[in-house]
Amino acid sequence: MLHRQLTGLGVKNLVVQAVRLDERRTGVNNDRRDARELAQRLDRYVAGNDSALATVRVPTPQEEQRRIQSRQREQLRHEVHRVAAQGRSLLLSQGHRQKGQWWQGRSWAGLLPGLPAWLVERLEVFRRMLAMLEEELQAATAALGSAGPALRLDAPDAGRGSGPMVAL
């Protein structure tokens, strides 16, 4: 955001990769030393030493939107695993070892007869949460898949960390 505002005002701005400025590892860091080291590296970079700073390509707003969608999808996927593990843990605490998607279809139907009513009631909370999360996950996956070539991040010039595995 700041980069776009600065370049919009005509400022030549470089975004650089984070780096440890205390190369001697003395353990003494302060803003004055860091500022001096950054200024020296910038001076060398401007003088033609391209390895003095590792510049980073700033993604376009469309690429950022795509990444946000992808990250949200990953968060939903992790949440499904987390809630499923909670249900599995509850089952295990009561002597019922389950693998995989215990809350779905035949797995749930086969599990149900051997469970006490109070446990079924507690597990139903997880099942409702999982149903909602899976629905949102499917919608997020479909939205990413239908975004079209305009937002594809697997182009050769899209940069590191933006390939098809990140996008989907």
Side-chain angles (χ1 to χ4, degrees):
M1 185 73 169
L2 178 60
H3 171 74
R4 286 192 196 93
Q5 291 172 343
L6 289 171
T7 54
L9 294 171
V11 175
K12 182 172 182 215
N13 187 52
L14 293 175
V15 178
V16 297
Q17 181 179 4
V19 65
R20 182 185 188 108
L21 296 174
D22 183 20
E23 291 177 346
R24 294 183 187 166
R25 302 186 195 282
T26 61
V28 180
N29 273 357
N30 61 40
D31 290 342
R32 186 175 176 176
R33 282 185 185 198
D34 290 349
R36 185 181 326 119
E37 179 64 27
L38 280 173
Q40 289 172 347
R41 288 180 185 212
L42 179 59
D43 183 53
R44 290 193 306 266
Y45 183 84
V46 171
N49 182 354
D50 289 341
S51 63
L53 291 172
T55 59
V56 178
R57 186 185 74 81
V58 177
T60 66
Q62 294 83 7
E63 289 171 336
E64 283 185 12
Q65 178 185 0
R66 178 79 174 186
R67 287 179 180 166
I68 288 169
Q69 290 172 327
S70 176
R71 287 180 181 140
Q72 184 178 42
R73 181 191 169 278
E74 280 304 303
Q75 290 168 348
L76 287 167
R77 192 178 66 78
H78 285 289
E79 197 64 16
V80 166
H81 288 289
R82 188 185 69 78
V83 174
Q86 286 180 327
R88 221 178 339 274
S89 176
L90 178 58
L91 282 163
L92 186 58
S93 74
Q94 300 303 310
H96 300 277
R97 185 176 185 87
Q98 290 295 310
K99 291 184 180 180
Q101 298 179 337
W102 59 265
W103 65 94
Q104 288 188 341
R106 292 194 324 221
S107 295
W108 179 247
L111 191 62
L112 204 51
L115 300 177
W118 70 268
L119 184 55
V120 171
E121 187 177 319
R122 297 296 89 216
L123 290 170
E124 283 293 345
V125 172
F126 292 128
R127 288 188 74 225
R128 287 191 299 273
M129 290 172 63
L130 286 162
M132 184 268 307
L133 286 167
E134 285 184 326
E135 183 179 321
E136 291 296 330
L137 180 59
Q138 287 175 354
T141 302
L144 279 173
S146 67
L151 292 180
R152 292 299 301 181
L153 295 177
D154 53 359
D157 63 341
R160 187 172 174 193
S162 58
M165 293 303 289
V166 172
L168 296 174

